[in-house]
Amino acid sequence: MDALSRDFFLFLSKNRGLNFMAKRWGKSLATGNIIGGIDFESCIPHIEQLNKKGIQVTVDHLGEFVMDETVARERTQECIRTIQTIATNTIQTQVSVKLTSLGLDISQDLARENMQKILEVASKHQVLVTIDMENESRCEATLELFRELKEQYDLVGTVIQAYLYRSEEDLAQLDDLSPFIRLVKGAYKESAQVAHTEKADIRENFKQLIKRQLNSGHYTAVATHDDYMVDFTKEYVRSQGIPKDQFEFQMLYGMRTKTQQELKDEGYNVRIYMPYGDDWYGYFMRRLAEKPSNISFALKGLTKK
């Protein structure tokens, strides 16, 4: 059933008609509930509200698979403006970015050039930038660019997905960089040739990745809404004497808000992934595909007053 639900939501994520309607009529419904706003400035009050609760944020300008160089450069400048605005407003937030939004599918050189521009500004303002992971076919290019950039800039991290077979080896290959890594389940449709498809197998691999990354001493983000994985992480760090300042939990904006605050009240670092922009529909469907039970939290968020 989970596999059918996953395929269904991934199918919906690619429906152009529904995406068009969501952009045209659904922005007000999504804003402040599952996205921070249509532009970064409209996110600031929501970020400030979370910061007051002791919760930090990472923002992501939605949009990917860009095949126009002009658009890729515009996306780059949007990211740069966001970093500058973060610094001006002294809010506790980082930035996440997808390489395909910066032109990875056009050329790796273009994506590298655009990331370097972003990281120059991020370094100046001391804002960490996390390179989001996309589907498996882009994984190698993403990690190759991350390695190059990490050797030039300190404030850059990336994402490793638990459902891919290759992920434990990828972590091992990155260990010498002392990287900031966000560990996630994974949200793209992948074949059984490259990815685990059973929940139990994904959870087991996720656990191994968490243990490896935490044991390395590198700062780690455990990004999950799965209570099982949250409880596993809490128990593991207790048993190993791993300090709470070595890791954080990350969750999505508008979902599991009670759990987020409970974790913060227990003394854990909590960061919320807050997307913004009008291209919110595909993002939303992939989140439901990643964990279909998220739909109950999402509907509560969309209907809250």
Side-chain angles (χ1 to χ4, degrees):
M1 184 60 70
D2 281 349
L4 289 174
S5 297
R6 179 183 176 85
D7 289 348
F8 174 68
F9 286 119
L10 287 173
F11 170 76
L12 290 180
S13 74
K14 299 175 183 177
N15 187 294
R16 292 184 179 180
L18 291 175
N19 193 29
F20 173 79
M21 288 190 289
K23 284 184 177 181
R24 186 164 184 178
W25 293 295
K27 291 182 287 189
S28 61
L29 183 67
T31 296
N33 294 321
I34 60 172
I35 62 172
I38 300 307
D39 54 33
F40 179 65
E41 284 70 19
S42 59
C43 296
I44 293 174
H46 304 299
I47 296 170
E48 290 176 335
Q49 187 177 41
L50 287 166
N51 287 169
K52 287 178 182 177
K53 297 177 180 179
I55 295 174
Q56 300 188 61
V57 177
T58 184
V59 294
D60 174 26
H61 185 213
L62 293 170
E64 55 198 310
F65 309 129
V66 171
M67 292 303 297
D68 183 310
E69 184 173 334
T70 299
V71 174
R73 295 191 185 280
E74 289 172 353
R75 295 278 183 175
T76 301
Q77 290 306 310
E78 165 64 25
C79 191
I80 288 171
R81 285 193 298 271
T82 294
I83 293 168
Q84 292 169 333
T85 304
I86 290 169
T88 300
N89 287 271
T90 61
I91 46 181
Q92 298 299 309
T93 184
Q94 300 173 353
V95 172
S96 296
V97 64
K98 291 179 174 60
L99 289 181
T100 60
S101 74
L102 306 182
L104 180 64
D105 289 349
I106 301 171
S107 79
Q108 197 160 328
D109 288 340
L110 177 61
R112 179 188 297 105
E113 176 189 340
N114 286 335
M115 273 301 304
Q116 287 172 330
K117 290 178 180 178
I118 290 169
L119 290 172
E120 285 293 332
V121 178
S123 296
K124 176 182 176 182
H125 296 295
Q126 293 294 289
V127 174
L128 187 137
V129 178
T130 299
I131 300 172
D132 280 338
M133 190 58 69
E134 302 178 69
N135 56 358
E136 193 276 339
S137 65
R138 296 172 174 88
C139 186
E140 189 66 35
T142 299
L143 291 178
E144 183 178 319
L145 270 180
F146 170 68
R147 173 170 282 279
E148 289 182 38
L149 294 165
K150 187 66 174 70
E151 290 172 348
Q152 301 172 55
Y153 304 95
D154 288 333
L155 293 174
V156 59
T158 194
V159 177
I160 295 293
Q161 298 167 312
Y163 66 175
L164 295 181
Y165 299 140
R166 60 176 291 163
S167 292
E168 190 165 4
E169 179 60 25
D170 285 337
L171 266 189
Q173 293 296 322
L174 295 173
D175 189 65
D176 64 299
L177 298 175
S178 300
F180 165 77
I181 298 290
R182 178 195 299 148
L183 300 174
V184 303
K185 174 185 175 182
Y188 293 86
K189 184 174 177 58
E190 303 288 2
S191 75
Q193 293 180 322
V194 299
H196 298 287
T197 57
E198 297 296 325
K199 179 188 290 187
D201 295 332
I202 297 171
R203 277 180 168 175
E204 185 58 35
N205 204 39
F206 207 161
K207 287 160 62 176
Q208 296 307 312
L209 297 177
I210 291 169
K211 290 193 289 186
R212 170 181 275 278
Q213 182 66 3
L214 288 173
N215 290 344
S216 72
H218 310 321
Y219 193 80
T220 303
V222 179
T224 182
H225 287 188
D226 187 342
D227 290 330
Y228 176 88
M229 297 309 306
V230 170
D231 290 342
F232 167 79
T233 303
K234 290 162 71 174
E235 179 55 36
Y236 188 73
V237 297
R238 278 196 295 266
S239 68
Q240 301 299 309
I242 295 169
K244 289 181 178 178
D245 61 2
Q246 191 187 312
F247 69 99
E248 65 188 40
F249 288 108
Q250 290 192 5
M251 293 186 176
L252 303 175
Y253 180 64
M255 299 186 191
R256 304 302 304 270
T257 54
K258 182 180 178 181
T259 301
Q260 295 165 12
Q261 191 60 54
E262 288 173 348
L263 287 169
K264 181 59 189 175
D265 291 344
E266 291 171 13
Y268 294 101
N269 294 317
V270 178
R271 187 177 303 277
I272 304 307
Y273 186 95
M274 181 185 290
Y276 70 95
D278 62 3
D279 195 15
W280 65 272
Y281 171 77
Y283 155 81
F284 185 44
M285 289 298 110
R286 284 198 301 276
R287 298 294 77 76
L288 296 183
E290 185 176 7
K291 187 174 175 57
S293 61
N294 279 342
I295 192 169
S296 62
F297 303 109
L299 290 176
K300 288 177 185 176
L302 285 172
T303 56
K304 69 182 180 184
K305 299 298 184 184

